[in-house]
């Protein structure tokens, strides 16, 4: 691997140009519950570590920070607001999202609720506009009752200068559906995404992708984004830590209350053993150090399209430092292909063994 300066990317037709690594702020919302499920990060509760991590990210060159109203029910946004108060607003790109927090509204995409939530997000962040504002999921009520009102609200926010660009989730399963709807009745999420795209006409797509994502199943969304001039924010590039070998099968993590990872089977000892075997093979062959694993994971995503950046989460400044250092180490095409082969085999074993979520 060779060392390079922090690369930059332009997010499609938005014209927003930022370093290729952005900062995901879900984890620093801390532990939380929403819609009857754990949805936060128990390990992200420390205020001092969160703010120090944000400041470290800025100092090391990160310029895009992604949050949502539901991350800690405003806590993530308020913590990010500490950074915004210290830096030139025109030099930082801020993304947030709406829809997963309902409160007392009829629906998360009730336009009056969306406007209130946008106002609260702006207050939390201490800014007068967002650079990117997203529809956080694809559930718009029975018969898509709230779809057109939500679209009109987003475009109104843009016309008023409250937001610069609209984002839409890529193919996505609404979280409560995993609890209430049998798999056979959930519908085709790719077809659903395409239909929504045609109506929303977003500027940016938010897409989950990493080495554990079957390459064939996600390749289409990146080609689609390029075809339509959309920027892409790639989330979970490190598989929420699963691809860093920081979770070991002999010491599987025990997540405290309010941590969404407690629901995921891939954090159990049996699943971690499958992953650990694959990651150990990578370390024996092409990635001897953890920063090499990080580089493989990050660049496997960045090579998907030149219109994308990766979003890496954190709970402490050391993780920020490691991720930014790793993105300067560019793996060879042969090493990336080798990593995909090894991790794909592990992913197939994991998928054969059962669902991702323990309660499905």
């Amino acid at each position: 691997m060779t060392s390079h300066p922090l690369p930059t990317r332009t997010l499609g037709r938005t014209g927003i140009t930022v370093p290729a690594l952005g900062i995901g702020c879900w984890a620093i919302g801390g532990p939380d519950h929403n819609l009857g499920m754990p949805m936060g990060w128990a390990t992200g509760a420390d205020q001092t570590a969160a703010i120090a991590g944000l400041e470290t990210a800025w100092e090391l060159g990160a310029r895009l920070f992604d949050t949502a109203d539901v991350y800690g029910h405003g806590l993530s946004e308020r913590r990010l607001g500490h950074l915004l108060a210290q830096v030139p607003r025109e030099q930082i790109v801020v993304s947030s999202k709406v829809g997963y927090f309902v409160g007392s509204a009829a629906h998360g995409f009730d336009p009056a609720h969306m406007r209130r939530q946008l106002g609260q997000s702006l207050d939390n962040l201490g800014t007068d506009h967002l650079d990117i504002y997203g529809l956080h999921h694809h559930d718009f009520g029975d018969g898509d009752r709230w779809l057109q009102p939500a679209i009109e609200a987003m475009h109104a926010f843009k016309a008023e200068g409250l937001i610069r660009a609209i984002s839409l989730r890529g193919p996505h399963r609404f979280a409560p559906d995993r609890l209430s709807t049998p798999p056979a009745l959930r519908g085709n999420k790719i077809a659903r995404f395409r239909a929504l795209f045609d109506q929303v006409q977003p500027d940016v797509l938010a897409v989950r992708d990493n080495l554990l994502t079957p390459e064939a199943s996600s390749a289409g969304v990146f080609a689609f984004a390029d075809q339509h001039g959309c920027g892409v924010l790639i989330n979970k590039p490190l598989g929420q830590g699963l691809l860093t070998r920081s979770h070991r099968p002999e010491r599987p993590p025990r997540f405290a209350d309010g941590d969404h990872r407690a629901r995921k089977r891939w954090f159990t000892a049996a699943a971690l053993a499958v992953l650990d075997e694959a990651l150990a093979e990578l370390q024996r062959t092409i990635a001897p150090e953890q920063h090499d694993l990080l580089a493989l994971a990050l660049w496997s995503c960045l090579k998907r399209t030149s219109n994308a950046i990766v979003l890496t989460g954190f709970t402490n400044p050391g993780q920020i430092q490691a991720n930014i250092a790793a993105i300067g180490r560019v793996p060879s095409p042969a090493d990336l292909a080798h990593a995909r082969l090894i991790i794909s085999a592990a992913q197939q074993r994991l998928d054969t063994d059962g669902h991702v979520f323990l309660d499905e």
Side-chain angles (χ1 to χ4, degrees):
M1 296 186 183
T2 55
S3 180
H4 294 272
L6 195 64
T8 60
R9 296 287 180 87
T10 298
L11 293 173
R13 63 171 177 268
T14 68
I16 297 172
T17 299
V18 287
L21 186 144
I23 306 302
C25 298
W26 181 11
I28 62 170
D32 205 355
H33 291 80
N34 190 58
L35 300 178
M37 298 178 293
M39 54 72 59
W41 294 70
T43 52
D46 188 275
Q47 169 99 349
T48 300
I51 292 175
L54 292 168
E55 292 173 347
T56 297
W58 174 267
E59 291 164 2
L60 294 179
R63 291 296 180 267
L64 186 146
F65 295 77
D66 178 80
T67 184
D69 62 355
V70 76
Y71 296 165
H73 286 80
L75 180 58
S76 172
E77 291 179 332
R78 290 192 294 274
R79 287 177 169 176
L80 181 54
H82 282 276
L83 177 65
L84 265 66
Q86 302 174 54
V87 304
R89 179 62 182 90
E90 69 277 8
Q91 294 181 24
I92 190 169
V93 174
V94 182
S95 170
S96 193
K97 300 174 284 292
V98 65
Y100 258 117
F101 172 67
V102 178
S104 61
H107 190 276
F109 289 132
D110 178 328
H113 173 72
M114 291 174 64
R115 185 170 287 275
R116 288 191 295 269
Q117 288 302 107
L118 174 57
Q120 185 64 65
S121 290
L122 295 176
D123 287 347
N124 289 340
L125 291 160
T127 185
D128 62 357
H129 73 281
L130 295 174
D131 300 282
I132 303 170
Y133 198 42
L135 298 168
H136 206 170
H137 60 77
H138 293 172
D139 180 86
F140 292 89
D142 293 342
D144 280 343
R145 173 187 174 185
W146 299 103
L147 175 57
Q148 194 57 40
I151 293 171
E152 292 173 1
M154 292 295 271
H155 285 276
F157 300 156
K158 191 174 180 181
E160 294 168 30
L162 296 173
I163 67 175
R164 293 174 59 194
I166 298 168
S167 72
L168 176 70
R169 288 287 288 263
H172 170 64
R173 194 75 66 196
F174 185 48
D177 285 352
R178 296 186 182 276
L179 299 178
S180 61
T181 307
L185 300 179
R186 292 176 186 167
N188 185 317
K189 64 183 180 181
I190 295 175
R192 172 66 169 166
F193 158 72
R194 297 266 182 129
L196 290 175
F197 182 93
D198 289 342
Q199 296 179 76
V200 176
Q201 292 293 301
D203 308 295
V204 175
L205 299 181
V207 176
R208 187 197 70 183
D209 187 62
N210 56 56
L211 284 168
L212 286 164
T213 308
E215 187 173 13
S217 71
S218 59
V221 73
F222 293 106
F224 186 84
D226 287 348
Q227 177 186 353
H228 292 275
C230 289
V232 183
L233 303 180
I234 299 177
N235 56 69
K236 303 180 184 175
L238 302 178
Q240 299 185 323
L242 290 171
L243 293 170
T244 68
R245 213 181 179 196
S246 55
H247 299 298
R248 305 303 293 269
E250 64 272 17
R251 299 185 305 277
R254 294 185 178 182
F255 299 113
D257 185 47
D259 196 309
H260 77 286
R261 293 170 293 177
R263 298 178 54 230
K264 295 189 174 180
R265 188 177 58 83
W266 287 9
F267 288 96
T268 63
L272 288 172
V274 173
L275 280 171
D276 197 62
E277 181 181 331
L279 294 170
E281 182 175 350
L282 286 184
Q283 291 199 307
R284 285 193 304 269
T285 53
I286 61 171
E289 304 295 337
Q290 189 185 49
H291 57 241
D292 299 313
L293 290 178
L294 293 173
L296 287 169
L298 296 174
W299 280 99
S300 74
C301 297
L302 288 172
K303 291 294 186 180
R304 296 292 217 154
T305 170
S306 61
N307 291 321
I309 72 164
V310 289
L311 299 173
T312 58
F314 73 98
T315 56
N316 62 71
Q319 293 168 339
I320 293 284
Q321 293 166 340
N323 293 336
I324 290 179
I327 208 168
R329 303 172 62 85
V330 184
S332 69
D335 284 352
L336 284 172
H338 180 70
R340 285 199 175 279
L341 183 66
I342 299 303
I343 301 300
S344 175
Q347 172 264 321
Q348 291 175 37
R349 288 177 61 189
L350 290 168
D351 280 354
T352 299
D353 289 343
H355 297 295
V356 172
F357 290 88
L358 293 167
D359 47 15
E360 283 190 294

